[in-house]
Amino acid sequence: MSKLPIGTTARTGEICPESGIWKVVSTPSTTAPIAKGNKMPPYSGSAVTWKLIQYA
């Protein structure tokens, strides 16, 4: 099975499409390890877009 490319994005509430380190695409930003199949979390109480920056 091939991995989704680095740079793939997912929004808060969506199912994580690839395990790895994800970064919030806004300021302020943060990174978080998120496993495939988990729900993408909110950040600072808001829905955000996450971008895959590194494979797990």
Side-chain angles (χ1 to χ4, degrees), residues 20-33:
I21 306 299
W22 290 79
K23 181 177 180 176
V24 172
V25 185
S26 63
T27 304
S29 187
T30 191
T31 59

Side-chain angles (χ1 to χ4, degrees), residues 3-56:
K3 294 186 174 199
L4 292 176
I6 296 293
T8 295
T9 61
R11 296 226 3 112
T12 295
E14 293 179 353
I15 299 301
C16 180
E18 186 69 59
S19 294
I21 306 299
W22 290 79
K23 181 177 180 176
V24 172
V25 185
S26 63
T27 304
S29 187
T30 191
T31 59
I34 305 172
K36 184 175 182 174
N38 288 348
K39 263 195 183 170
M40 300 303 288
Y43 177 58
S44 290
S46 299
V48 294
T49 298
W50 293 87
K51 180 166 75 171
L52 181 64
I53 60 168
Q54 181 183 322
Y55 295 121

